[in-house]
Amino acid sequence: MSIHNVLILGASRGIGRALAIEYATRGCALALAARDVDALRELTRELGKQGGKIVYHRCDVADRAQVHATVEHAKKALGRIDLAILNAGVGEPGWVDGMDAGGVETVFGVNTLGIVYGLEALVPLMKKQGGGIIAGVSSLADARGYPGSAAYCASKAAASTFLESARIELRGSGIRVVTVRPGFVRTDMTAKNEFHMPFLLEPAKAARIIRRRIAMGLGVVQFPWPVVFATRLARIAPNFLFDRLLRAARRRGE
């Protein structure tokens, strides 16, 4: 299907901001949403110079009502939503020993429930309009539980599994569900990582890959391939080997 009207949640920075620029430069009308209204306003002003229609709306994706209101706002402003990208995400290094469960709730609220709320609001709307694409941004970190990232990995694993079920259930309905699984991308979030991030990509390159592969009709967009391959090996590695390798990696990082 042709993509003319795009809704992006988590559009104020990082991959979301780069996606907004990527689609705007191709003449798409955009509805942008995030918690940082000032950043959205500035991005809207910048992209508006190209002459396309750009609107923005404040949204905390962990708030179900705000997600529904944002989708409704986008529908009214754009007329229809051809593509919705559920991109908002959070994550900080954190260890199970001494953890704050409230922080874990926050991570799941954004990374997992934010996608659930988006699907809840978008599926009925897209059925009424005759179809559309919903892309949820997860992570290659969904493959296993990595030390120091329990909440992030678990939230992304839950998001990926939920999106997979949605993709299968909605096949044939006119709604295509896409799971986006990037590796390391240079963002404010990854800047907090204290370990080596192989094949680190700039947001603009990640956005180009995502746009192109969504346009190709893929159900799963994952990159870069060396990291994809490594996570596949990690997924099938026996526990004793995985545990030993990760303990050794942690010691090297200390």
Side-chain angles (χ1 to χ4, degrees):
M1 65 170 290
S2 298
I3 297 173
H4 300 291
N5 301 328
V6 182
L7 166 64
I8 303 175
L9 274 65
S12 60
R13 54 179 54 86
I15 295 175
R17 187 179 191 279
L19 282 166
I21 296 170
E22 180 73 14
Y23 280 102
T25 56
R26 280 153 182 82
C28 293
L30 301 179
L32 308 177
R35 289 180 298 177
D36 189 341
V37 176
D38 290 337
L40 286 179
R41 186 181 297 111
E42 179 59 32
L43 178 58
T44 298
R45 185 181 300 114
E46 177 185 334
L47 297 180
K49 296 175 182 177
Q50 301 179 30
K53 182 170 187 177
I54 315 287
V55 298
Y56 66 90
H57 194 258
R58 187 190 184 282
C59 179
D60 178 352
V61 300
D63 186 311
R64 181 183 180 192
Q66 288 189 37
V67 174
H68 279 258
T70 296
V71 169
E72 183 61 26
H73 177 265
K75 172 65 169 60
K76 289 180 179 178
L78 303 182
R80 64 174 281 127
I81 301 172
D82 300 316
L83 167 64
I85 303 178
L86 311 177
N87 169 74
V90 295
E92 292 188 6
W95 303 94
V96 173
D97 184 6
M99 72 174 175
D100 172 11
V104 177
E105 290 175 355
T106 298
V107 172
F108 269 83
V110 174
N111 294 353
T112 307
L113 290 177
I115 287 177
V116 173
Y117 298 152
L119 284 163
E120 180 185 38
L122 287 160
V123 169
L125 181 152
M126 289 187 172
K127 280 189 174 182
K128 287 181 180 179
Q129 70 180 22
I133 305 169
I134 303 171
V137 179
S138 183
S139 168
L140 289 174
D142 65 2
R144 295 203 68 158
Y146 299 102
S149 303
Y152 184 78
C153 293
S155 68
K156 291 298 188 179
S160 293
T161 302
F162 201 96
L163 287 163
E164 183 173 53
S165 295
R167 183 183 74 244
I168 297 168
E169 288 182 24
L170 293 169
R171 190 182 302 277
S173 69
I175 301 172
R176 177 157 63 93
V177 176
V178 182
T179 304
V180 180
R181 301 176 69 234
F184 296 111
V185 179
R186 193 186 305 278
T187 64
D188 292 347
M189 188 163 63
T190 57
K192 301 172 185 175
N193 293 340
E194 298 177 351
F195 52 85
H196 173 63
M197 294 176 283
F199 302 98
L200 180 68
L201 296 178
E202 296 299 323
K205 183 171 184 179
R208 285 195 298 272
I209 293 170
I210 293 168
R211 182 191 61 79
R212 289 170 181 168
R213 294 187 184 174
I214 288 176
M216 289 168 60
L218 299 181
V220 179
V221 173
Q222 49 192 350
F223 59 91
W225 283 111
V227 183
V228 173
F229 182 69
T231 57
R232 288 178 178 174
L233 291 179
R235 195 186 294 272
I236 63 174
N239 289 339
F240 79 88
L241 178 59
F242 180 78
D243 293 0
R244 183 179 301 172
L245 290 172
L246 268 293
R247 281 199 299 269
R250 180 183 175 184
R251 284 196 295 270
R252 287 197 299 271
E254 291 176 346

